[in-house]
């Protein structure tokens, strides 16, 4: 896993060096076949020499040797050196011809030779990576996925689909479908093509009926309409886009997020939660209807995972909604995978400004029914101006909150932000997560 981090670091310095590093990555099935080519050509030369020298064409070999010897002076350069030079030139020509032939075949299949290393690196090396399931929604999940895809392509994203605002909310109301917005962001994050990612996230600024919608949302809506259900649309899009990993909704069934306040009042929907809460505490979150179905692929992925990651993201509107699906919650509870909770850097004004880091953990456990094995907390200092800006918005830094002794044995602190910014750096978070695969599990009590 450290090699994948090194590959990314080399690629940032030089694209050419990065491609070479990818070709040399274990599991690419390149080095072994290149070595086999060299060995085979060497044996071919020796075998051909034996055939010529011991067979009826020995006189031709003699003439060839005398011809080559005429180009050198034995006093200046040994005669055998001429043969070595010719051999190396012939070997180089053979390798060069194989290389050019390979480029021709690649272009014929529509793949640019410069992209071959990336393509094979994704399909071969990263396909051997750990099986990771990431749950959540919003920018938190998509940012995490953009980092994880550099370490493994065995990623299953389980996305919250209860958003009822903006483009997603309008499509939900008009087409009676689940919210597609966060899924579009995840597809873009896992895409190997910057062009495709940009197209998926393109938001129309004009046009009656499509203004305000993203291209990716409309594509999901179109596939859903054509299939008659969102389940088929998700399968088709995973096949069409050829992203590193898979993206599935937490449920295919439309559901409304319901927030129960300590006063007994209810808030329906998530888009106006912060506005309608007005400082009152949230007792718990539920779905309406509560018994929604989870895709079978999500259940299988959770049970087969080596690691389950939840967070970062909005506690009440991104993280908890994914575990409210009964089958998802049950699969998490029965999975043997290590469960990682990536805590937020800052609290969210209007939603979690009254919750400490401990309260975040307790609220998540209450709805998930399982304690995290690792609580990943940022330990990078934030810039003063960044903190002041967040404080003006009513947010505060969660990572500085003290935790009770019962959690200290599970806390892993690592640099999760770059340049002192207030948001998670996807590559730093992914590196911290994947390094946990190589640390022994601590004994925990569920």
């Amino acid at each position: 896993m450290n090699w994948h981090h090194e590959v990314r670091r080399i690629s940032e310095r030089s694209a050419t060096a990065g491609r070479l590093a990818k070709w040399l990555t274990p599991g690419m099935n390149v080095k072994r076949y290149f070595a086999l080519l060299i060995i085979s050509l060497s044996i071919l030369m020796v075998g051909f020499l034996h055939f010529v020298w011991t067979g009826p064409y020995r006189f031709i070999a003699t003439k060839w040797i005398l011809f080559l010897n005429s180009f050198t002076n034995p006093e200046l350069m040994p005669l055998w050196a001429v043969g070595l030079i010719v051999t190396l030139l012939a070997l180089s020509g053979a390798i060069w011809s194989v290389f050019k032939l390979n480029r021709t075949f690649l272009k014929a299949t529509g793949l640019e030779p410069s992209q071959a290393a990336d393509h094979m690196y994704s399909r071969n090396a990263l396909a051997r990576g750990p099986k990771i399931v990431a749950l959540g929604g919003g920018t938190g999940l998509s940012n995490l996925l953009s980092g994880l895809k550099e370490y493994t392509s065995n990623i299953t994203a389980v996305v919250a689909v209860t958003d009822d605002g903006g483009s997603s909310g309008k499509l939900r109301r008009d087409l009676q479908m689940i919210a597609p917005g966060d899924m579009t962001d995840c597809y873009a994050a896992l895409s190997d093509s910057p062009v495709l990612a940009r197209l998926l996230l393109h938001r129309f600024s004009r046009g009656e009926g499509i203004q305000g919608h993203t291209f990716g949302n409309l594509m999901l809506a179109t596939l859903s309409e054509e299939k008659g259900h969102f389940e088929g649309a998700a399968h088709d899009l995973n096949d069409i886009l050829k992203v590193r990993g898979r993206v599935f909704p937490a449920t295919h069934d439309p559901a409304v997020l319901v927030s129960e306040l300590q006063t007994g009042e209810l808030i329906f929907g998530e888009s106006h939660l912060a506005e309608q809460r007005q400082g009152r505490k949230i007792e718990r979150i539920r779905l309406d209807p509560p018994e929604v179905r989870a895709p079978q692929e999500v259940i299988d992925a959770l049970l087969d995972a080596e690691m389950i990651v939840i967070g970062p993201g909005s506690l009440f509107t991104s993280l908890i909604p994914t575990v409210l699906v009964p089958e998802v919650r049950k699969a998490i509870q029965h999975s043997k995978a290590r469960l990682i909770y990536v805590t937020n850097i800052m609290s969210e004004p209007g939603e979690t400004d009254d919750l400490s880091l401990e309260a975040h953990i307790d609220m998540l456990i209450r709805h998930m029914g399982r304690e995290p094995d690792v609580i990943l907390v940022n330990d990078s200092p934030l810039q003063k101006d960044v903190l002041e800006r967040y404080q003006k918005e009513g947010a505060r830094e969660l990572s500085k909150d003290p935790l009770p002794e019962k959690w200290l044995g599970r806390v892993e602190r690592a640099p999760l932000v770059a340049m002192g910014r207030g948001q998670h750096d996807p590559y730093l978070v992914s590196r911290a997560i994947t390094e946990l695969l190589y640390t022994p599990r601590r004994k925990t009590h569920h």
Side-chain angles (χ1 to χ4, degrees), residues 20 43 50 62 74 127 138 146 149 161 169 203-204 244 262 298-299 345 350 357 402 428 435 445:
L20 178 60
I43 295 174
H50 181 272
T62 303
S146 67
K149 74 176 184 179
V161 287
R203 191 174 298 276
F204 293 93
R244 293 189 195 178
Q262 284 188 337
V298 170
I299 300 170
I345 307 295
L357 180 56
L428 291 177
E435 284 178 350
H445 304 282

Side-chain angles (χ1 to χ4, degrees), residues 50-68:
H50 181 272
F51 165 72
V52 172
W53 192 254
T54 59
Y57 301 104
R58 182 173 181 177
F59 71 96
I60 296 177
T62 303
K63 288 184 177 182
W64 174 248
I65 293 171
L66 293 175
F67 173 73
L68 291 180

